[in-house]
Amino acid sequence: MSLALVFPGQGAQYVGMGAGLTAVPAAQDLLTRADRVLGLSLSNLIASGPEADLTRTDLSQPAILVSSLMSYAALQAAGKAPEFAATAGLSLGEYTALVVAGALSADDAIRLVRLRGQAMQDAAERTAGGMVALIGADEAKAAELCATAAQGEVLVVANLNSPGQVVISGTKAACERAVALAKELGIRRAIALPVAGAFHSPLMAPAAERLHAALAATSFQVPRVPVFTNVHGGPVTNPTEFPGLLVRQLTQPVRWADGVLAMAAAGHTSFLELGPKKTLSGMIQQTVKDAICRNVDTAADVAALT
């Protein structure tokens, strides 16, 4: 049984995340560098909010990335950074996974995720869109709902988080129809999510175009361990593949459950989630019943890890 490090995506943020980590010089250095790279006080935003700003797509993404990297830096400083055999991250978290695997520099990741967040927000403002979480649906059932509710508009499967938990994404009107129709198709619950737009759908194509140029100009290295990607769920070690996968990730489904199953099949059944909340741990345990999951978010979590 080997260990995989996993990293959360947008939505995990909260004011005060990573409490106590700034006492670790290496973690504080990450925050200081992020403030400098971004030209704004991400450190104050993480510590004090306001929450409305921290939930903005262009600010939450670098905040979560840096908070997750601070957790890992604190583990290293405490001599508790474990040996790991793979990394993976949910959507935005894939950038964090690339940094910890040694494929991408922290400064480049901070710049990229800020641009990614801005580009996604701009794309969301072009077309009114949304996302709907489906409880009690598999991919086929979710696709059936999309086909029924789309009525000529964009509505697609966006996230495959765990068995029975799928998210769809599309225009606002199509999402509203999906919520109304879900029970007729045998889906237990359909919940409209509080998001800025139709992420991981074709409506994010303008954002993908903007990110493509930035990624093409970024240097990627061979990772120390395989990075399990959102696009197809499998391991990637060739650095030339990462830019294209990160672009495709914006408009294609996030196959998180497939990635978890692939990691487990490769022998990685112990998972350490680094960053705010424990969202991924729940998804992983729903997908692989005997998975061992732990979480490190704060200085207290670092101290408690054995």
Side-chain angles (χ1 to χ4, degrees):
M1 179 175 68
S2 58
L3 177 71
L5 302 185
V6 295
F7 303 93
Q10 192 172 342
Q13 72 280 343
Y14 66 92
V15 175
M17 59 186 174
L21 294 180
T22 53
V24 180
Q28 176 59 54
D29 179 60
L30 278 164
L31 258 186
T32 302
R33 284 162 58 194
D35 286 354
R36 185 180 68 248
V37 168
L38 298 176
L40 56 87
S41 185
L42 195 68
S43 49
N44 284 343
L45 180 64
I46 290 171
S48 306
E51 186 175 358
D53 286 350
L54 187 60
T55 57
R56 277 175 41 187
T57 302
D58 60 326
L59 295 176
S60 66
Q61 295 200 19
I64 294 165
L65 173 110
V66 171
S67 184
S68 298
L69 291 175
M70 288 172 66
S71 295
Y72 184 65
L75 284 179
Q76 288 180 307
K80 292 185 174 184
E83 292 293 324
F84 57 95
T87 67
L90 181 73
S91 189
L92 153 74
E94 195 158 273
Y95 288 80
T96 327
L98 288 165
V99 173
V100 174
L104 179 64
S105 76
D107 284 4
D108 281 342
I110 292 164
R111 278 190 287 267
L112 286 168
V113 299
R114 178 74 193 286
L115 171 63
R116 181 181 188 267
Q118 290 171 329
M120 290 170 70
Q121 182 66 41
D122 290 348
E125 290 172 3
R126 282 193 185 192
T127 306
M131 302 180 79
V132 177
L134 305 178
I135 309 301
D138 58 14
E139 184 174 3
K141 185 65 72 174
E144 181 186 358
L145 176 61
C146 288
T148 304
Q151 296 183 16
E153 298 184 20
V154 171
L155 189 63
V156 297
V157 175
N159 291 70
L160 297 151
N161 292 330
S162 63
Q165 188 186 127
V166 181
V167 179
I168 60 176
S169 180
T171 64
K172 188 172 185 296
C175 286
E176 290 170 352
R177 289 191 294 269
V179 170
L181 290 167
K183 283 195 175 176
E184 291 180 26
L185 294 179
I187 295 168
R188 193 158 71 246
R189 291 183 68 196
I191 307 156
L193 298 177
V195 296
F199 302 142
H200 304 295
S201 85
L203 294 179
M204 286 294 112
E209 289 172 15
R210 283 174 63 182
L211 197 59
H212 179 270
L215 286 164
T218 301
S219 175
F220 288 84
Q221 311 302 319
V222 176
R224 292 190 295 272
V225 297
V227 179
F228 283 73
T229 178
N230 290 178
V231 169
H232 54 64
V236 179
T237 56
N238 183 346
T240 64
E241 294 183 41
F242 292 129
L245 289 167
L246 291 171
V247 170
R248 289 168 59 194
Q249 185 210 77
L250 283 179
T251 58
Q252 294 185 17
V254 172
R255 295 188 168 274
W256 179 253
D258 289 348
V260 170
L261 289 170
M263 284 187 279
H268 316 314
T269 53
S270 180
F271 298 86
L272 182 60
E273 180 176 359
L274 296 171
K277 298 188 179 174
K278 300 178 181 178
T279 309
L280 299 184
S281 295
M283 294 178 187
I284 290 167
Q285 287 175 322
Q286 289 168 0
T287 306
V288 178
K289 300 303 181 187
D290 60 349
I292 298 168
C293 297
R294 294 171 294 167
N295 171 265
V296 172
D297 174 12
T298 66
D301 294 331
V302 173
L305 190 71
T306 56

